[in-house]
């Protein structure tokens, strides 16, 4: 089993920045893809950004140029640097990791005030 723990969420004013972190622990075989997803009330969970073990990234158009994903394979960590935050970025942000199975974290709340 793999456990994912997110951190770094919080309340920020529009235009501000936050950096989310996700730490994977447990019995890790070889995590291929790690990513960040988000879900706001009344909406479906959506992909924000993913990154392969080799560093290939895929970022949603809605956050492209503002959000940047990175990972540290040695530490089994993935990060999401969020800049120029907007109120519509308010959501619970979830970390996801694909190892032998598909794992999700519990989520961290990000609230952007206008």
């Amino acid at each position: 089993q793999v456990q994912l723990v997110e951190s770094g969420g919080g309340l920020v004013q529009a235009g501000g920045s936050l950096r989310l972190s996700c730490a994977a622990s447990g019995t890790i075989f070889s995590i291929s893809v790690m990513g960040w997803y988000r879900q706001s009330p009344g909406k479906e969970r959506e992909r924000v950004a993913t990154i392969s073990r080799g560093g290939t990234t895929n970022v949603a158009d809605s956050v492209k140029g503002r959000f940047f994903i990175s990972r540290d394979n040695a530490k089994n960590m993935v990060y999401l640097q969020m800049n120029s935050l907007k109120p519509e970025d308010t959501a619970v942000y979830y970390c996801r990791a694909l190892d032998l199975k598909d794992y999700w974290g519990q989520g961290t709340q990000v609230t952007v005030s206008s």
Side-chain angles (χ1 to χ4, degrees):
Q1 287 285 63
V2 175
Q3 294 80 43
L4 301 175
V5 178
E6 302 100 334
S7 61
L11 173 64
V12 64
Q13 288 188 331
S17 298
L18 283 175
R19 188 190 191 215
L20 304 183
S21 300
C22 173
S25 63
T27 305
I28 296 171
F29 176 65
S30 179
I31 297 176
S32 57
V33 179
M34 299 189 81
W36 291 96
Y37 292 70
R38 67 185 182 186
Q39 187 170 19
S40 51
K43 295 186 178 181
E44 293 187 354
R45 190 172 297 188
E46 63 175 354
R47 178 185 58 83
V48 177
T50 60
I51 183 168
S52 71
R53 187 168 184 83
T56 301
T57 61
N58 193 323
V59 182
D61 288 341
S62 59
V63 303
K64 195 167 291 184
R66 300 188 297 121
F67 290 13
F68 302 92
I69 188 170
S70 60
R71 69 187 279 178
D72 184 330
N73 291 331
K75 296 182 179 179
N76 290 309
M77 298 279 296
V78 64
Y79 308 95
L80 185 68
Q81 178 65 43
M82 305 185 295
N83 301 325
S84 302
L85 283 160
K86 304 175 180 179
E88 51 263 44
D89 294 320
T90 295
V92 177
Y93 284 71
Y94 297 91
C95 175
R96 183 184 188 186
L98 295 176
D99 189 76
L100 295 180
K101 296 181 180 180
D102 190 359
Y103 297 95
W104 292 85
Q106 293 297 306
T108 184
Q109 177 71 46
V110 171
T111 303
V112 185
S113 63
S114 57

